[in-house]
Amino acid sequence: MKVAILLLCFLSFSAFSKDLTVSLTEKTPVTGYALGQFRQLVAKAGFEVKEAAPTTANVVVATDATLGKETYRIERQGSQLRLITGDDNGTLYALLDLGEQLSWGKTLVQIPAKTVRPRLGFRAVKFNLPYMAYRNGPSLTQHDLTCRDLNFWEAYLDNMAQNRFNVLSLWSQHLFHYMVIPDNFPEATQFNEFEMGEWKMFWKELFRMAHERGIETYIINWNTFVSPSFARAHDVGRYEGAHIGEGDTTKLTERYTREIIRQVIDEYDDLDGLGITLGERMGGQNPDERRAWLDRTILAGMRDAKRKIKFVYRAPLSANEKSGGNTSQENDVRSRKHVEGLDVTEAYVEFKYNWSHGHSSPNLFHVHGGKLSDAYWNPVSEKFKVVWTLRNEDFFVLRWGQPDFIREFIQNNGANYVG
């Protein structure tokens, strides 16, 4: 009996210890990364991947742009398995899909034909950085060095790609003085030219690695904050770490904000988008004043830049002069009009789904601010999509482990206006 078991194991391993030939016609950083991930996955099942001509390969990857973004089709043609993909991300997801199935023990002839098209085009992680964070203390500062470690980010981005996330949003009250020495405000950063050079190398490599994995990067901030050294030098925006309250609206702060936004966009070609939070540290201003401030600063800096980028517009947290806590249909209508006037390549309006309890219910009751009207999507906008942010406090009640709850949640919250 032992001999039979050993012989069976040997034969099973031998059956999978063979060459797997792949033809990849489109060679880009993303497809090159995809092929590398495919090699690693199928190695678990004993396959060794070699590249071959389309006429002889076991697996042929070909692009057909008419399929659409991030879409792929798996089909069989004679003895070949063909992966028809709509773009680079489609190739990445197709090879990950095939590699996963082979790593689970399937053979090529057992791979079913199918077409996969993403329901949601904007699948993001919200990552709160420890730099200029809206909270203070050792629970954040202990991660300073980790978040400077590109090995950490390589593993994190790999995990995002494997789970088909395509946006990394990096959040900070004010990250920009970690990215540039402002041309007209060098006092705004605590770093010398050498130190800033190291930071620039870090950000550019992070953005490059993200692109290699089909992931876009956004920087999203809380608006009226400035760097601590700028605040000390000019006695403005000295909030002493508190992220709620009235904001600094001096002309100097406006000019600094506009100029540093323009410079960051111009110096980082691989940065895909920016975003704002229309609320914190904007107390004492009514909604129209907040939108006007945004026009004069962040949006003006974007207009000044050499290229257009994408934008996440976090919906107002307040419909009055307070820092947060209420909404109104009139303010929703005005905000929609503001977003639809943006000169950007893509726009998204973001809400906290059920405030800080995103997984508490499959139905929307309120957002960060209060009960939401339908003004943002009735009628559906041609200028932007809605993005839900789901905070994870409610994982503690374990409903996200209930399949029926998950199915209902996904079914309810993917309408045609949702990005």
Side-chain angles (χ1 to χ4, degrees):
M1 189 62 160
K2 291 180 181 179
V3 173
I5 292 173
L6 288 172
L7 179 60
L8 178 62
C9 291
F10 175 77
L11 289 174
S12 297
F13 181 79
S14 299
F16 287 98
S17 297
K18 60 180 181 180
D19 292 343
L20 183 62
T21 53
V22 176
S23 169
L24 185 63
T25 54
E26 297 287 337
K27 294 295 183 67
T28 69
V30 175
T31 60
Y33 170 80
L35 186 59
Q37 292 296 297
F38 180 71
R39 291 181 193 275
Q40 292 182 32
L41 285 167
V42 300
K44 299 174 183 177
F47 288 104
E48 182 179 355
V49 176
K50 296 181 179 180
E51 294 191 60
T55 53
T56 59
N58 301 126
V59 178
V60 176
V61 184
T63 302
D64 179 0
T66 63
L67 278 181
K69 293 174 61 176
E70 301 189 310
T71 301
Y72 62 92
R73 185 172 69 244
I74 299 178
E75 61 185 26
R76 186 168 304 285
Q77 191 173 85
S79 62
Q80 288 183 333
L81 201 66
R82 295 178 61 82
L83 309 182
I84 312 301
T85 68
D87 60 4
D88 284 355
N89 274 30
T91 298
L92 170 61
Y93 300 146
L95 284 172
L96 287 175
D97 186 345
L98 178 59
E100 287 161 0
Q101 293 191 66
L102 294 174
S103 73
W104 300 334
K106 288 186 178 181
T107 63
L108 282 179
V109 296
Q110 294 173 317
I111 303 298
K114 61 179 177 179
T115 298
V116 177
R117 180 173 288 104
R119 184 184 184 199
L120 302 173
F122 187 98
R123 306 180 301 279
V125 166
K126 177 180 184 288
F127 194 108
N128 282 2
L129 288 167
Y131 314 119
M132 279 287 286
Y134 79 111
R135 292 282 190 265
N136 298 305
S139 61
L140 285 173
T141 55
Q142 67 174 318
H143 299 297
D144 281 3
L145 293 179
T146 300
C147 288
R148 283 290 301 273
D149 186 349
L150 289 171
N151 291 319
F152 160 75
W153 284 109
E154 182 176 24
Y156 193 89
L157 292 166
D158 282 344
N159 186 271
M160 285 184 62
Q162 289 156 12
N163 287 283
R164 283 39 164 195
F165 286 103
N166 64 1
V167 174
L168 172 66
S169 63
L170 302 170
W171 294 61
S172 166
Q173 287 181 336
H174 188 82
L175 188 63
F176 309 115
H177 62 296
Y178 285 87
M179 303 181 73
V180 297
I181 298 177
D183 294 334
N184 296 315
F185 300 100
E187 71 278 11
T189 182
Q190 68 270 39
F191 305 113
N192 59 37
E193 288 191 8
F194 177 80
E195 292 168 327
M196 183 55 72
E198 290 186 317
W199 273 108
K200 284 186 176 181
M201 290 173 58
F202 165 76
W203 295 120
K204 290 188 176 185
E205 181 60 12
L206 173 58
F207 298 161
R208 185 202 65 78
M209 288 197 304
H211 277 185
E212 186 180 54
R213 291 155 177 79
I215 297 168
E216 294 184 337
T217 50
Y218 287 66
I219 293 172
I220 303 180
N221 75 304
W222 287 267
N223 312 321
T224 58
F225 291 87
V226 296
S227 75
S229 53
F230 182 86
R232 289 191 298 268
H234 299 284
D235 196 25
V236 296
R238 301 189 71 167
Y239 307 133
E240 310 304 332
H243 65 285
I244 299 294
E246 295 190 4
D248 185 289
T249 57
T250 61
K251 293 298 180 184
L252 183 65
T253 297
E254 288 186 6
R255 182 186 162 205
Y256 162 75
T257 304
R258 176 174 182 165
E259 292 188 12
I260 201 169
I261 289 292
R262 188 273 309 160
Q263 193 172 339
V264 165
I265 296 171
D266 285 348
E267 292 193 20
Y268 290 91
D269 294 336
D270 280 347
L271 176 64
D272 297 287
L274 292 177
I276 52 90
T277 300
L278 208 57
E280 269 125 344
R281 273 298 172 189
M282 301 192 86
Q285 303 173 66
N286 65 44
D288 287 335
E289 289 171 331
R290 292 170 181 163
R291 285 184 281 267
W293 184 91
L294 186 60
D295 285 333
R296 295 192 301 270
T297 56
I298 295 174
L299 297 179
M302 291 166 57
R303 290 192 297 269
D304 294 340
K306 297 175 183 177
R307 64 185 177 93
K308 296 178 183 179
I309 60 173
K310 303 179 181 183
F311 198 68
V312 171
Y313 189 109
R314 202 173 200 191
L317 308 184
S318 172
N320 56 32
E321 294 185 1
K322 295 181 180 179
S323 294
N326 76 313
T327 55
S328 74
Q329 182 164 8
E330 178 186 6
N331 196 35
D332 294 348
V333 170
R334 288 173 181 258
S335 297
R336 171 174 176 156
K337 183 178 179 180
H338 196 210
V339 179
E340 291 185 327
L342 295 178
D343 186 19
V344 296
T345 55
E346 288 181 17
Y348 299 91
V349 179
E350 181 266 353
F351 307 91
K352 274 188 184 176
Y353 186 92
N354 285 339
W355 204 328
S356 292
H357 302 280
H359 303 88
S360 61
S361 169
N363 302 305
L364 176 67
F365 291 102
H366 65 166
V367 296
H368 192 165
K371 188 172 178 58
L372 191 63
S373 76
D374 65 355
Y376 286 99
W377 55 78
N378 185 18
V380 176
S381 175
E382 297 180 359
K383 301 291 187 178
F384 66 83
K385 292 281 190 180
V386 164
V387 170
W388 302 120
T389 292
L390 306 175
R391 288 184 65 164
N392 63 358
E393 282 94 335
D394 298 293
F395 279 178
F396 289 116
V397 297
L398 300 180
R399 292 190 71 190
W400 202 241
Q402 296 176 0
D404 290 341
F405 176 81
I406 299 169
R407 291 188 187 100
E408 185 179 1
F409 190 103
I410 293 172
Q411 181 64 35
N412 289 357
N413 297 296
N416 59 344
Y417 55 83
V418 176

